[in-house]
Amino acid sequence: LNRVEARLIEEARGEALFLIPYALRDLAEAWRLVYRDLGLRRGRVVYLRRREEAFDPEVARRVAESPLVILAAESLPEFLDLIRNSLLLQALAEVYRQGGGVVAVGEAAGLLGEAAFYALEGEVRAGFGLALRSRRMSPQRGLALLPRVEERGRFLALSRLVADNPDLVGLGLLENTALRLLRGLGEVWAGGVTLVDAGGAEYTGRGVRGLRVDVLSTGERFPLPSL
């Protein structure tokens, strides 16, 4: 994904801000070193330890002024609880509104959608993502994003969710996939995306019937749900 990351950094004119929980501070420092080889000139890091920090006006200002914000987290439920309904979330919406990039990497890729998936006790669970609380980040509304959809049980988890919530469109991301959501369109920059539209589908208890499934590869585009 180096070419994708280099493209994002170029669009942000060499600037990026990493927004991460404090537990990932060493990883963020490693990222900054790697991204320098991809054109990063100015890389800043905001570490979150407590929810109160997400309501700090100075922290929110730093995020809102960044042309590219990169999110990462180990535990999605905890990270979501840190920033939900906060000034920091408003700042992320402002970055997007101004035409900047809000990027979630790894397992955190799903948190920008209306539904966020996370692992709990060996199962894939779903909860509210960030877009549900921020109408200004509308391109992520109506979406359920699930990384590593190729792993056992994850496609079924995504299918069940959209079958039970037909207003959602599921996007399953293969490993090493880069997906851009912008101006009402999704574009696969790298890897592959499985689009799951429930429509008239139903979950039978043993499986899901009536799904529409599209398998998309690099370079393909698709319309985002309009809510």
Side-chain angles (χ1 to χ4, degrees):
L1 295 177
N2 282 355
R3 285 191 293 180
V4 171
E5 293 164 329
R7 179 177 175 180
L8 289 170
I9 292 171
E10 181 181 6
E11 290 184 356
R13 298 182 179 180
E15 295 188 29
L17 182 144
F18 300 90
L19 178 60
I20 61 172
Y22 186 72
L24 295 182
R25 60 192 181 281
D26 292 338
L27 181 59
E29 293 302 325
W31 273 339
R32 285 205 290 189
L33 291 175
V34 171
Y35 279 22
R36 284 176 187 171
D37 293 335
L38 300 177
L40 182 67
R41 298 197 311 271
R42 185 187 183 200
R44 296 177 295 165
V45 183
V46 171
Y47 305 111
L48 291 180
R49 302 181 188 180
R50 302 178 303 277
R51 179 164 168 76
E52 291 78 7
E53 294 171 329
F55 289 85
D56 186 327
E58 177 60 23
V59 172
R61 182 192 64 79
R62 290 172 60 193
V63 171
E65 292 178 351
S66 177
L68 175 63
V69 180
I70 300 173
L71 308 174
E74 286 184 320
S75 172
L76 286 195
E78 292 179 6
F79 190 70
L80 286 166
D81 288 343
L82 277 177
I83 64 178
R84 198 187 303 281
N85 297 328
S86 67
L87 290 178
L88 201 51
L89 180 57
Q90 295 177 25
L92 291 173
E94 181 63 17
V95 173
Y96 186 88
R97 191 183 71 82
Q98 295 290 343
V102 179
V103 179
V105 299
E107 194 67 19
L111 63 81
L112 293 180
E114 187 164 345
F117 288 91
Y118 57 93
L120 181 66
E121 298 177 352
E123 296 184 3
V124 180
R125 309 286 182 89
F128 292 140
L130 295 180
L132 186 64
R133 304 299 182 184
S134 179
R135 291 183 180 273
R136 294 170 67 187
M137 297 178 75
S138 58
Q140 285 74 45
R141 288 181 57 79
L143 297 180
L145 295 95
L146 177 60
R148 306 199 323 271
V149 69
E150 71 274 15
E151 294 184 5
R152 183 177 180 180
R154 293 174 82 86
F155 177 77
L156 181 57
L158 181 63
S159 301
R160 286 175 176 174
L161 179 69
V162 298
D164 289 338
N165 300 273
D167 56 327
L168 294 177
V169 170
L171 297 177
L173 313 180
L174 296 177
E175 190 174 3
N176 293 326
T177 288
L179 173 64
R180 186 176 211 181
L181 307 174
L182 184 66
R183 298 187 182 94
L185 285 176
E187 181 179 358
V188 184
W189 276 13
V193 173
T194 300
L195 186 151
V196 183
D197 189 347
E202 61 176 347
Y203 174 54
T204 65
R206 294 185 177 181
V208 182
R209 293 183 176 179
L211 284 176
R212 193 198 91 197
V213 178
D214 294 335
V215 179
L216 308 171
S217 58
T218 302
E220 293 194 81
R221 297 182 178 185
F222 57 93
L224 297 175
S226 178
L227 299 179

